[in-house]
Amino acid sequence: AYHVWRRAIRRYGTKSESLRILEVGAGPGNFAACLENWFPDSKLTALDLEADLVRDASARVPSASFIRASSEQIPLASTSFDVVSALQVIEHFHRPENFLSEVARVLKPGGLFLVSTPNTRGIGARLRGDAWQGIREDHVSLREPGAWRRALSESGFECLSDGTTLFNGLPIVGRPPFSLPFLALQSAAGWFPWELGESYMAVARLKA
């Protein structure tokens, strides 16, 4: 499923093979491992607040620089990165606009921001209510796609492509074997021009 982000970087980013990439909320290093494989000539930096995750991910992806730090105040120099990713991260911040300001600060003008987050307008959220998987104690900033678009624009970003995913939040069609056709379609397309999917996903460019 991460290949949709590789295609986005190739399509909208600089043509250079040597990128400076920052992953926010690296977790166990799954996406970092993909980035290491896709862009071997690039410099990859990854942040996470959990010490155990940073330790394990740094062993898994030795070429990356892992930093244990809060992503709400990124401890890195301004205009340092060509690409910043925050996949299923922004909903954890009490002040998402502050985080977006930090992303804008560390990105170079014209740099790309990759973001995904649970979608409160999705079918899963509507049908399941409080049982929806997006409802968690640490998900403190859940919003609909329109609200995220406004936040991106107000933080200095131009949305290049966005949409939502399919039905992985539903208890039946969201699990194998029923989910397999949807997973294949989503892997190929990434996201779709509707607002009823499980997650909002966007590629945005920092305005020069």
Side-chain angles (χ1 to χ4, degrees), residues 32-143:
C34 291
L35 291 168
E36 179 187 50
N37 182 54
W38 298 335
F39 305 102
D41 296 326
S42 294
K43 180 175 176 57
L44 174 61
T45 304
L47 298 180
D48 204 283
L49 191 57
E50 299 295 329
D52 290 346
L53 291 175
V54 169
R55 183 193 64 237
D56 294 344
S58 59
R60 181 181 180 189
V61 191
S63 68
S65 298
F66 283 84
I67 302 172
R68 184 189 177 197
S70 169
S71 302
E72 291 186 88
Q73 292 183 328
I74 298 173
L76 297 166
S78 301
T79 63
S80 297
F81 295 96
D82 302 292
V83 179
V84 174
S85 70
L87 308 184
Q88 303 297 318
V89 170
I90 197 169
E91 65 274 8
H92 294 269
F93 300 139
H94 287 280
R95 296 176 294 278
E97 282 75 13
N98 289 0
F99 169 66
L100 291 175
S101 295
E102 279 291 273
V103 173
R105 180 184 66 79
V106 300
L107 268 176
K108 298 176 183 178
L112 294 184
F113 178 44
L114 317 178
V115 61
S116 66
T117 186
N119 175 26
T120 58
R121 288 202 63 195
I123 292 175
R126 294 182 179 194
L127 292 181
R128 304 204 68 201
D130 290 342
W132 176 49
Q133 63 182 3
I135 301 294
R136 288 176 25 178
E137 190 174 305
D138 57 339
H139 286 182
V140 295
S141 293
L142 294 170
R143 301 181 183 180

